Amino acid sequence: MKTDDQPKDNFAARIFGRIKSEHLVPRPRWEFVFKNYFFWTLGALAVAFGALAFSATLFRIENVDWRLSVATHSSFFSFFIDAAPFVWVLTLILFVLIGYVNVRRTEHGYRYSLAVIAIGAILTSITLGSGLYAIGFGSRVDEIIGDHPPFYRPILVTERSWWLAPEKGLLGGQVVEDASDISSFMLRDFSGRVWEIDASDLRAPDLAVIARGGMVRVVGLPIEVAMSSATSSVFHACFVFPWETHGDFRNNPPPPPLATIASTSGENAASSSNPCKNIRPYRQLRSVDDIGF
Amino acid sequence: MPPQMTDEEIVRRTLADKEAFVFLIERYEAKLMRYLERLGVGLREDREDILQNAFIKAYKNLNSFDPTLAFSSWMYRIAHNETMSFFRAKHARPQVVLSEESEILITELQDETADTTLLAETRLSREELTKALEILPQSYRDALTLRFFENHSYAEMSDILQVPVGTVSTLLYRAKRALRAALPKTFSS
């Protein structure tokens, strides 16, 4: 005797009849295998992009010097907004989520929780991203990919804009020539303009930086740019810091020293009543200068 | 077909000879009919339609069956998904129908309650339990059904509901808590 739970007629035969009449056949196995690999590949690609994003994050973090934020920004908060790698961190999170969605769609993807997949993807991205940064990919990603969205500027471009502001007393560029007594030197800024830098108030650590040559950042007295000539201007330097780019191996090695510095040359400058003491973050910058980079 | 053949062997046979699929249907039709009723598909005709679609889908996707899973879990998953699609398409609310099996769930709820003396004196009718189950979210009801009425393990439930095993535990814990809260005060307190 059949209960209500059992089919009244031959249920199996009805279904089989439908399979035969509609000429149904199982879908080929390769379709499922392909789909499975497809989603695993998308998941892996998402992690790879996450790794690129992390390498750019590292590059950005390594190349902004928060110690100089007192010179370049009015507050640490505004510096943080300008310098923090929000775009890359968001990109990393986005790709981790894309990875999660794709892994979930694989054959056994449902067995892994969001936390497991997210932690796995983030750790993999961090490991691969650190490796990519170590071989110099971080700068490429920040430059090549980061240069395309209109709302984003690569960190090196951003930093150059901070240090191309003589009206705020900030100047960055290449040391091109120095006087034999290092009382002044010439610097070509990022716009190509050559400045004569008055080094009379610099101390030994600053002079050592100039002597090494290469790229430097100069904190000096704000000047009226409009008053200076178009080809060469005088800029009074208070501090000189080296400009080192980390994680970018396309950079040429630092040039040979331009001059030998007497170790006592800065002492007098430090004790003199120089106009640099009036610049706002003098004390903080001096401590950075003393500690060195 | 020899009755001692496993489901997985029948699946392999079906891929070579489609008639073997009939044995899988016969093996699962009654179990799945009961499962669909427990999920809240009230009308027999609807249950048959859903089940027919589920078996057809299983047949068409037979090559996607992973032998490392139990065939029953795979088949329950298809039936479950078909049922959820049915509820969505019909905008229908599941109709909870409990039979003698309600005792299992009541016992389970009692086992986890500290004051057993009080509970022993408590009479919980099938109607009260049905009402409480009806107001639970579908995911909670699914978890309770699979665990206490269909006797599936956590791993099987994970394969059927396609969620991690940890999520199954959480679902069951929350489902029992929600059910206790929905029961008459004398029982839940």
Side-chain angles (χ1 to χ4, degrees):
Chain A
M1 187 180 140
K2 286 187 173 183
T3 68
D4 188 51
D5 282 332
Q6 291 169 318
K8 284 172 184 149
D9 55 353
N10 196 334
F11 186 68
R14 253 196 295 154
I15 295 173
F16 188 67
R18 194 174 145 194
I19 288 172
K20 279 215 297 197
S21 66
E22 293 179 18
H23 306 290
L24 300 177
V25 285
R27 285 165 62 195
R29 177 145 184 81
W30 68 263
E31 277 185 26
F32 300 104
V33 173
F34 176 80
K35 186 182 155 201
N36 198 37
Y37 279 115
F38 177 75
F39 285 117
W40 272 118
T41 306
L42 287 185
L45 276 177
V47 171
F49 278 110
L52 287 176
F54 186 75
S55 70
T57 306
L58 270 186
F59 181 73
R60 208 174 163 95
I61 291 171
E62 279 284 305
N63 283 290
V64 284
D65 200 316
W66 62 270
R67 291 174 302 176
L68 296 181
S69 65
V70 288
T72 55
H73 288 75
S74 56
S75 68
F76 187 77
F77 179 74
S78 64
F79 167 76
F80 181 76
I81 295 294
D82 268 1
F86 295 115
V87 170
W88 292 119
V89 170
L90 287 176
T91 307
L92 175 63
I93 293 169
L94 176 72
F95 279 113
V96 164
L97 288 175
I98 291 173
Y100 170 74
V101 169
N102 285 297
V103 170
R104 279 280 299 184
R105 298 186 71 173
T106 60
E107 199 174 359
H108 294 137
Y110 62 87
R111 291 179 181 173
Y112 311 108
S113 65
L114 172 63
V116 168
I117 296 177
I119 291 170
I122 288 172
L123 287 180
T124 312
S125 293
I126 287 175
T127 310
L128 287 176
S130 303
L132 289 172
Y133 169 76
I135 58 171
F137 255 87
S139 61
R140 294 284 182 99
V141 175
D142 195 51
E143 248 177 61
I144 298 168
I145 301 177
D147 213 8
H148 286 83
F151 53 85
Y152 184 82
R153 278 198 306 174
I155 188 61
L156 296 184
V157 175
T158 306
E159 276 219 286
R160 282 171 192 168
S161 72
W162 295 345
W163 292 92
L164 191 57
E167 73 283 1
K168 293 180 188 167
L170 304 171
L171 208 51
Q174 177 90 29
V175 177
V176 286
E177 186 190 323
D178 69 327
S180 55
D181 58 350
I182 318 191
S183 60
S184 68
F185 65 96
M186 305 299 279
L187 180 136
R188 183 180 290 115
D189 73 14
F190 298 116
S191 67
R193 188 170 178 176
V194 176
W195 295 79
E196 184 189 344
I197 309 290
D198 176 0
S200 57
D201 279 324
L202 294 180
R203 300 180 311 128
D206 307 304
L207 296 174
V209 172
I210 300 163
R212 278 202 298 273
M215 301 282 284
V216 294
R217 310 169 217 229
V218 183
V219 179
L221 300 179
I223 61 158
E224 281 290 334
V225 180
M227 300 289 284
S228 55
S229 78
T231 51
S232 179
S233 324
V234 178
F235 185 84
H236 190 99
C238 298
F239 298 97
V240 178
F241 303 101
W243 188 309
E244 287 165 356
T245 306
H246 303 279
D248 184 355
F249 301 106
R250 290 166 301 166
N251 273 0
N252 294 324
L258 292 168
T260 309
I261 309 296
S263 61
T264 55
S265 62
E267 294 307 316
N268 290 337
S271 58
S272 68
S273 59
N274 68 56
C276 292
K277 286 186 176 169
N278 296 326
I279 69 169
R280 195 167 55 86
Y282 182 81
R283 207 175 279 273
Q284 293 102 308
L285 289 171
R286 176 140 184 206
S287 69
V288 175
D289 208 18
D290 289 340
I291 295 164
F293 269 63
Chain B
M1 180 74 50
Q4 68 273 21
M5 271 185 92
T6 65
D7 293 341
E8 292 70 27
E9 286 168 339
I10 302 177
V11 169
R12 273 199 299 277
R13 176 80 75 89
T14 304
L15 288 169
D17 171 16
K18 66 171 79 167
E19 284 197 37
F21 193 59
V22 170
F23 296 100
L24 281 174
I25 300 172
E26 285 174 345
R27 201 172 268 188
Y28 279 95
E29 58 179 295
K31 278 185 206 171
L32 290 174
M33 277 288 184
R34 225 169 17 246
Y35 176 53
L36 262 51
E37 189 178 10
R38 285 165 177 162
L39 283 179
V41 185
L43 291 174
R44 182 188 169 75
E45 289 71 27
D46 288 338
R47 290 200 293 275
E48 285 195 358
D49 284 348
I50 294 169
L51 206 50
Q52 196 172 117
N53 289 339
F55 277 119
I56 294 287
K57 199 164 267 182
Y59 178 73
K60 284 182 5 191
N61 292 290
L62 215 51
N63 270 315
S64 76
F65 168 63
D66 171 12
T68 61
L69 289 184
F71 177 81
S72 71
S73 298
W74 189 68
M75 198 59 234
Y76 266 80
R77 179 197 297 176
I78 296 172
H80 180 268
N81 291 344
E82 277 298 306
T83 309
M84 295 308 122
S85 301
F86 167 82
F87 286 142
R88 272 196 298 274
K90 298 264 180 182
H91 303 288
R93 271 194 67 78
Q95 300 167 359
V96 178
V97 181
L98 289 177
S99 51
E100 69 283 349
E101 68 218 1
S102 60
E103 298 300 326
I104 303 165
L105 191 52
I106 294 168
T107 309
E108 172 69 22
L109 292 173
Q110 284 177 335
D111 284 350
E112 291 185 2
T113 311
D115 194 347
T116 47
T117 326
L118 177 72
L119 286 166
E121 293 165 4
T122 310
R123 285 281 182 269
L124 184 66
S125 71
R126 193 176 293 172
E127 288 70 30
E128 284 171 324
L129 184 59
T130 304
K131 269 186 199 165
L133 281 170
E134 266 175 349
I135 61 169
L136 290 189
Q138 182 72 43
S139 57
Y140 290 178
R141 218 166 30 237
D142 292 347
L144 293 172
T145 302
L146 284 169
R147 181 74 184 138
F148 300 112
F149 302 152
E150 299 288 333
N151 297 316
H152 284 289
S153 67
Y154 281 32
E156 287 167 338
M157 287 174 69
S158 155
D159 291 332
I160 294 167
L161 299 173
Q162 290 181 284
V163 292
V165 174
T167 307
V168 170
S169 312
T170 310
L171 262 180
L172 276 172
Y173 171 76
R174 289 184 182 161
K176 283 190 277 187
R177 196 177 56 182
L179 181 60
R180 236 181 260 120
L183 287 171
K185 288 281 176 274
T186 48
F187 189 87
S188 57
S189 63

